Amino acid sequence: MLQRGCVVLYPCTQMKIAIQGELGAFSHEACRRNFPRAKVVPCAVSSEVFEALESGRVDAALIPIENTLAGPVVVHYDLLLEHDFYVNAEFRLRIEHQLLAVPGTKFGEIREVLSHPVALDQCRKFFAKNKKVRSVSFYDTAGAARHVMEEGKHEQAAIASRVAGEVYGAEVLQSNLEDDAQNFTRFVLVERRARANKDANKVSVAVGLPNKPGMLFKALSVFALREIDLTKIESRPVRGRPWEYAFFLDFMQTDKKAAENALRHLEEIAQFVKVLGRYRSAE
Amino acid sequence: MLQRGCVVLYPCTQMKIAIQGELGAFSHEACRRNFPRAKVVPCAVSSEVFEALESGRVDAALIPIENTLAGPVVVHYDLLLEHDFYVNAEFRLRIEHQLLAVPGTKFGEIREVLSHPVALDQCRKFFAKNKKVRSVSFYDTAGAARHVMEEGKHEQAAIASRVAGEVYGAEVLQSNLEDDAQNFTRFVLVERRARANKDANKVSVAVGLPNKPGMLFKALSVFALREIDLTKIESRPVRGRPWEYAFFLDFMQTDKKAAENALRHLEEIAQFVKVLGRYRSAE
């Protein structure tokens, strides 16, 4: 499932790509699908991912920015604002939760299922149907799969990605435990330099607005007046500047001239406008 | 630090209040401060909190809705939309991270510190300064404190709330590990019925808008035209209705008549408008 933008921009080079989380995390799965030959560099926390990119230890970072059910990954918005990097591509991954266990485990033996609280919450129907199975919170989906394999008990299973099963040698006992098939995560590829992408049809910007009545209305007028489609709006308090807000906006660039005019108009209204990237929409 | 709205609405009754998380979680700390005589009912996941309220097993739920650094708690927005409950009060809690250890532990003995990834990420400077101390992700801050006490090792410590220290008998070795003092969580008190609150100056609504260019601009016009101050905007995909968005708006109600007119005007534009609550602002 190679994405269009990816094929054009990233021929089969062996890039080093940093992800947040352990091997087997959903970011790893997103990497595998879109950059099958890349070397994945796992980082414990998000700030490490950005440090790895800053230092040149990796060529790029692939980070989740938004999940349709769990919402925005706000730490990544903040880090994109702090650093002068560029979003050069976006990808969507359908989140499919697998029930992973020690090979040979029978379903009836399982008494507890470990996973990240967000993943557990996305599989409510599974737990409602299987009353004998207790859900146990774990810090990480992939970490839960690794833990189950290390313990080697048939009473334990994990909810994690298919890749986590492969990485740690667990067996998939049941597939697609998620309640909602509309469970997608949007990932963005971040690099130190902007790539000139002729196919770009989407723009991500961060906008600083003073906390006064009507300011957001004014800011949105620059798009509405030009019939530009806003696909995303996210507000974030700016770190260290209390009561000042940054808005993260994604909009479709069907007419390049209109998009440029809108951004110029926005600069008249906003405290700052920072273009985070121009890239091909994954939708 | 009793909040004004609370004193008026909730005299010293012994309410049963559901929280998400273990005893010692920050929700527990928020409960203690605002309802010191309440009986706290801990629930593993957020859906359980709402079920407890639905069934009448508790009188109210105190849930975090937004953290200044980590962002919105989107699962709570979704649950507020799904259920017909009311937000009757809001409270702010400053998040203060304490270093908790087995009593008698010396700081130099500590080799690893356990906590929830969000808490670890909020104490980056502590780890940058103390290179010998490894950060270890755990599913829950209070759970980390409990784990450290159960293990009883001097090499381990946890980052959690002061209440977690009290609940599990841990010693506070260092206080206020958080990088940013502007680390606040906003909690809301949810009940089955709306309370008539004369002091109410803030309104929370959920608004359904079709995914068409300019719709949000139109929706915001009802506030901008009346100079009503919007304090929060949050967008969420509606569960089970792909590409349909719900916006959660908070606005200040300085003039009750103007607020009512704005809501009526909004109903002409939106697919639905649901008032989540009218209450006294904590700010």
Side-chain angles (χ1 to χ4, degrees), chain B residues 168-189:
Chain B
Y168 302 111
E171 192 181 329
V172 177
L173 284 199
Q174 283 189 22
S175 287
N176 296 83
L177 265 57
E178 65 276 6
D179 298 334
D180 194 334
Q182 294 295 329
N183 187 351
F184 289 92
T185 297
R186 195 156 64 91
F187 288 86
V188 293
L189 187 83

Side-chain angles (χ1 to χ4, degrees), chain B residues 243-254:
Chain B
W243 314 124
E244 213 172 286
Y245 285 79
F247 288 84
F248 291 85
L249 307 174
D250 289 350
F251 64 89
M252 299 310 287
Q253 175 189 276
T254 39

Side-chain angles (χ1 to χ4, degrees), chain A residues 22-219:
Chain A
E22 301 201 29
L23 289 179
F26 282 101
S27 294
H28 186 186
E29 190 158 310
C31 240
R32 274 249 192 124
R33 290 199 180 212
N34 297 292
F35 305 96
R37 300 192 55 197
K39 190 178 176 304
V40 175
V41 180
C43 300
V45 290
S46 298
S47 53
E48 256 183 59
V49 172
F50 278 72
E51 281 159 22
L53 186 55
E54 188 88 62
S55 71
R57 203 154 59 80
V58 296
D59 304 302
L62 190 67
I63 53 170
I65 201 83
E66 180 188 10
N67 174 269
T68 48
L69 303 181
V73 185
V74 294
V75 60
H76 291 160
Y77 281 101
D78 291 347
L79 286 163
L80 282 174
L81 187 57
E82 276 174 35
H83 291 80
D84 285 323
F85 295 151
Y86 296 90
V87 173
N88 284 327
E90 74 165 2
F91 308 100
R92 293 176 76 201
L93 180 74
R94 176 154 168 227
I95 301 300
E96 299 178 85
H97 291 305
Q98 320 294 339
L99 186 69
L100 305 174
V102 175
T105 302
K106 289 198 184 73
F107 182 75
E109 296 177 291
I110 297 166
R111 286 294 163 270
E112 55 180 40
V113 172
L114 283 65
S115 196
H116 189 277
V118 170
L120 294 173
D121 198 61
Q122 291 180 350
C123 304
R124 286 189 216 168
K125 286 178 196 160
F126 170 83
F127 289 103
K129 209 166 63 186
N130 300 289
K131 297 277 185 202
K132 281 186 185 160
V133 176
R134 209 164 62 95
S135 73
V136 179
S137 294
F138 212 77
Y139 69 94
D140 187 59
T141 55
R146 197 182 60 179
H147 181 82
V148 165
M149 290 304 293
E150 281 171 359
E151 296 276 307
K153 295 177 193 161
H154 284 203
E155 303 93 76
Q156 273 188 342
I159 291 175
S161 73
R162 190 170 290 278
V163 172
E166 288 168 28
V167 168
Y168 302 112
E171 192 182 328
V172 177
L173 284 200
Q174 284 189 22
S175 287
N176 296 83
L177 264 60
E178 65 277 6
D179 298 333
D180 194 334
Q182 295 294 331
N183 187 350
F184 289 93
T185 297
R186 195 157 63 90
F187 287 87
V188 293
L189 187 83
V190 184
E191 293 179 289
R192 285 183 296 274
R193 289 186 196 174
R195 288 184 187 246
N197 183 353
K198 280 182 207 160
D199 280 341
N201 65 347
K202 197 169 170 182
V203 183
S204 289
V205 291
V207 184
L209 292 176
N211 193 14
K212 282 192 292 188
M215 283 314 297
L216 181 59
F217 177 72
K218 277 191 193 177

Side-chain angles (χ1 to χ4, degrees), chain B residues 57-77:
Chain B
R57 202 154 60 82
V58 297
D59 304 302
L62 191 66
I63 53 171
I65 201 84
E66 180 189 11
N67 173 268
T68 48
L69 303 181
V73 185
V74 293
V75 61
H76 291 160
Y77 281 102

Side-chain angles (χ1 to χ4, degrees), chain A residues 236-260:
Chain A
R236 296 284 306 136
V238 180
R239 251 179 219 237
R241 300 205 299 229
W243 316 121
E244 210 172 290
Y245 284 80
F247 289 85
F248 291 84
L249 307 174
D250 289 350
F251 65 88
M252 300 309 287
Q253 175 190 275
T254 39
D255 175 347
K256 212 176 164 189
K257 191 78 195 155
E260 274 170 24

